[in-house]
């Protein structure tokens, strides 16, 4: 672990010089996309754009999209492509995306992937914001792999504190007392789509609709696959090293 931390520090200088550009984090529910995206966001100062989080914000705010998405999300199915694409298009317009961004949980269907590929092609040819980046930056796709059994424990054990949003896992990282937050003492809650029946449905959806998206990007020269069962900092080091190497060749 110490070695990894030293390695991370030694690489940090060269990482800082990188313009990370657009990145996808792909993988089944529970592989750790959110955790990795937050680490990369902190290291490279680019936004983490999670379509799941954006949809949950819509639900909280009671927007028409949020109202429509609620039932679909709680059943483990996917929100229609055109609505999600539109939501992503709006988010990518924000100026914080100019040096790059990490898309988490998107694209989840081939239609979404084709929409995104087209958008990036259009952007490379006519977005003046990218004029400073020689040749524009092509997408790098990262796929994180974790076994089904491990995913089941990670997802069905996940609980969060509704007050401070800390995340626990009743099997892997339990709170000190019963099922209340260590810091707030608030009873922990489980996301409606983290119950076991919905987990299996989400995995079926992933295999049928999202695994082909991973294969779509696997065919490109900017594809990275990492073992998500290693400690989180090793996963992150693997991702950042691979992205830095690919960007130096871009
Ligand atoms: P997540 O937090 O990424 O696991 O997403 C939670 C739920 O939001 C998913 O099970 C879907 O119902 C919905 N969702 C998130 N991202 C997408 C997407 N790219 N396309 C369609 N539905 C999505």
């Amino acid at each position: 672990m110490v070695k990894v931390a030293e390695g991370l520090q030694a690489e940090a200088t060269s990482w800082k010089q990188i313009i990370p550009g657009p990145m996808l984090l792909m993988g089944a529910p529970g592989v750790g996309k959110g955790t990795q995206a937050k680490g990369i966001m902190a290291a490279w100062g680019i936004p983490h754009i999670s379509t799941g989080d954006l949809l949950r914000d819509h639900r909280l705010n009671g927007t028409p999209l949020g109202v429509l998405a609620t039932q679909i999300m709680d059943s483990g199915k996917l929100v229609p492509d055109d609505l999600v694409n539109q939501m992503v298009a709006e988010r990518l317009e924000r100026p914080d995306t100019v040096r790059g961004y990490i898309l988490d949980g998107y694209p989840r269907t081939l239609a979404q992937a084709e929409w995104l590929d087209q958008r990036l092609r259009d952007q490379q040819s006519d977005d003046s914001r990218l004029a400073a980046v020689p040749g524009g930056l092509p997408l790098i796709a990262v796929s994180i792999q974790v076994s089904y059994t491990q995913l089941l424990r990670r997802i069905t054990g996940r609980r969060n504190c509704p007050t401070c949003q800390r995340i626990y896992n009743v099997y892997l990282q339990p709170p000190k007392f019963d099922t209340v937050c260590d810091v707030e003492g608030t009873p922990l809650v489980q996301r409606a789509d983290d119950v076991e029946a919905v987990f299996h449905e989400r995995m079926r959806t992933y295999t049928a609709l999202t695994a082909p998206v991973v294969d779509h990007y696997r065919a490109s020269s900017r594809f990275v696959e990492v073992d998500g069962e290693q400690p989180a900092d090793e996963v992150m080091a693997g991702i950042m090293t691979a992205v830095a190497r690919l960007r130096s060749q871009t």
Side-chain angles (χ1 to χ4, degrees):
M1 201 71 84
V2 172
K3 253 172 116 186
V4 172
E6 281 168 3
L8 280 172
Q9 248 176 9
E11 302 243 28
T13 320
S14 55
W15 285 347
K16 288 225 169 80
Q17 292 155 1
I18 302 267
I19 297 177
M23 292 172 54
L24 303 183
L25 274 189
M26 296 183 294
V31 296
K33 299 186 294 288
T35 306
Q36 293 304 323
K38 284 186 181 72
I40 297 169
M41 173 172 78
W44 267 328
I46 54 173
H48 164 210
I49 302 175
S50 150
T51 44
D53 286 350
L54 290 176
L55 287 166
R56 280 183 285 278
D57 285 347
H58 276 276
R59 287 175 67 161
L60 273 176
N61 294 325
T63 68
L65 172 57
V67 171
L68 185 133
T70 298
Q71 221 188 348
I72 300 173
M73 291 173 78
D74 288 349
S75 68
K77 304 229 183 303
L78 294 185
V79 176
D81 290 334
D82 50 346
L83 298 179
V84 180
N85 290 343
Q86 176 62 30
M87 183 179 77
V88 170
E90 283 165 19
R91 179 62 186 86
L92 295 183
E93 286 303 315
R94 290 189 19 202
D96 61 347
T97 57
V98 74
R99 287 182 63 255
Y101 47 86
I102 310 151
L103 280 169
D104 159 6
Y106 180 91
R108 256 177 159 101
T109 64
L110 279 175
Q112 292 179 12
E114 278 155 17
W115 180 90
L116 179 68
D117 292 349
Q118 185 58 47
R119 188 185 190 281
L120 287 170
R121 275 194 295 272
D122 295 347
Q123 199 183 28
Q124 276 170 16
S125 56
D126 63 31
D127 188 339
S128 58
R129 295 186 313 167
L130 283 177
V133 181
L137 283 178
L139 194 67
I140 291 180
V142 178
S143 165
I144 308 177
Q145 297 289 327
V146 172
S147 70
Y148 198 95
T149 324
Q150 178 72 358
L151 292 177
L152 179 67
R153 284 164 70 81
R154 288 190 187 181
I155 290 285
T156 60
R158 182 159 66 184
R159 304 286 185 278
N160 72 291
C161 169
T163 310
C164 68
Q165 308 310 326
R166 261 186 194 74
I167 295 177
Y168 297 84
N169 186 294
V170 293
Y171 308 119
L172 307 168
Q173 201 184 349
K176 287 194 190 105
F177 302 106
D178 203 11
T179 50
V180 297
C181 176
D182 293 349
V183 181
E184 309 289 340
T186 316
L188 301 177
V189 294
Q190 184 178 36
R191 257 169 60 176
D193 58 347
D194 280 350
V195 299
E196 186 164 344
V198 181
F199 166 76
H200 292 304
E201 181 57 30
R202 288 165 77 193
M203 288 301 287
R204 274 191 290 275
T205 305
Y206 179 82
T207 306
L209 299 174
T210 311
V213 177
V214 179
D215 291 337
H216 168 79
Y217 288 109
R218 192 190 302 279
S220 99
S221 56
R222 296 184 191 83
F223 178 82
V224 179
E225 195 151 51
V226 293
D227 172 6
E229 297 202 19
Q230 307 169 88
D233 59 350
E234 289 183 32
V235 178
M236 183 166 153
I239 295 173
M240 294 193 67
T241 305
V243 170
R245 180 175 42 79
L246 286 172
R247 278 299 176 230
S248 66
Q249 296 163 3
T250 301

